Amino acid sequence: VVRSVSRATPKPTTSQRGSNRFSRKMTTVDVNGRPRMITLGMAAVLEILRRRPQGIERLELYQHIGELGPVKKCSVWGMVRRLREWLKTAYVLPDGWDPIREEFQGEVASKLAICPRRLVILSLNIPDPLLAAAECAEPFREWDISHDTGEGKVRRSSRVFLRGAIHQVAFSDATVLEMVKAGEPVPLADVESRFRALGFGPTTVLSAVRDARRFLRRVFELPETVDPLPVTGSPKGPGAQGRGMVTIELPK
């Protein structure tokens, strides 16, 4: 189910502890060869369920999640509920299919012996063909770029696989990176033509180049003095938009 997690989940410090840490921080998992965004808490629950195909008792699941830092029981059950909906969307499951099976396994005495506690076993319930497709998916390669699509239109969001991690970037920025990643100079007019065909305005080109430049500096940890995406032959003044060449120059 989980082929790769782009960021590690180290044990939190005192200042990081708390249930909000799981709901706010995001990571990515590979589902059928495509990166999907997911919260750290949901990714942790998914990984535990994947490693326990025979199922895991709800209280034991809570204890495993608690090893990553103090969390409330209600937070864990909320993660399970949201993960169930996430799996339905990620695997495009048919209506009525429950991706997380809950089985009642009897009762045991509670700590206070006032009333018995229900034993509920949770386990993944993904159709075998979908699991097989996930296991056989090709690994990501450096500079793999994927654009989210829906209803025949390109959404303004994309993902770029660089330096062992999947980064979510604006569609315009990813388009610039996609055109220059081969290392050959690309005319800004060609970039503008592609943007116009997708409904973007002409002023998007240079701003997308500027944002993509900042993205490369952050990913490759470059100083501000280094320009990984230089633009040459672009004069100033009216009519300069779409003139010049853009190329990628990353340090070896």
Side-chain angles (χ1 to χ4, degrees), residues 80-158:
V80 173
R81 183 177 64 254
R82 291 189 296 271
L83 177 61
R84 177 180 280 110
E85 298 302 319
W86 184 88
L87 289 170
K88 290 178 181 179
T89 303
Y91 282 96
V92 195
L93 298 176
D95 294 338
W97 189 285
D98 189 355
I100 300 180
R101 184 188 294 114
E102 295 189 13
E103 297 178 325
F104 177 56
Q105 296 287 339
E107 299 177 345
V108 295
S110 65
K111 289 183 178 180
L112 300 178
I114 297 176
C115 61
R117 179 172 63 85
R118 291 168 59 92
L119 280 176
V120 179
I121 307 299
L122 303 177
S123 59
L124 279 178
N125 184 29
I126 306 295
D128 291 340
L130 294 179
L131 282 177
E135 292 299 327
C136 297
E138 290 293 329
F140 292 110
R141 294 174 298 177
E142 195 80 350
W143 283 105
D144 275 355
I145 299 176
S146 63
H147 304 292
D148 289 339
T149 58
E151 300 180 359
K153 297 181 180 180
V154 179
R155 299 177 185 172
R156 302 192 177 187
S157 178
S158 303

Side-chain angles (χ1 to χ4, degrees), residues 6-7 28 34-37 140-148 157-181 211-212 215-216 218-220 248 250:
S6 65
R7 286 188 285 270
T28 54
R34 295 189 60 187
R36 297 268 184 181
M37 298 298 294
F140 292 110
R141 294 174 298 177
E142 195 80 350
W143 283 105
D144 275 355
I145 299 176
S146 63
H147 304 292
D148 289 339
S157 178
S158 303
R159 295 181 179 89
V160 182
F161 186 79
L162 277 178
R163 306 193 75 183
I166 301 171
H167 309 271
Q168 190 166 12
V169 298
F171 169 79
S172 55
D173 306 352
T175 301
V176 172
L177 295 175
E178 194 173 30
M179 296 182 71
V180 302
K181 67 179 183 179
D211 293 342
F215 167 75
L216 291 175
R218 184 177 71 253
V219 172
F220 289 93
I248 186 169
L250 291 173

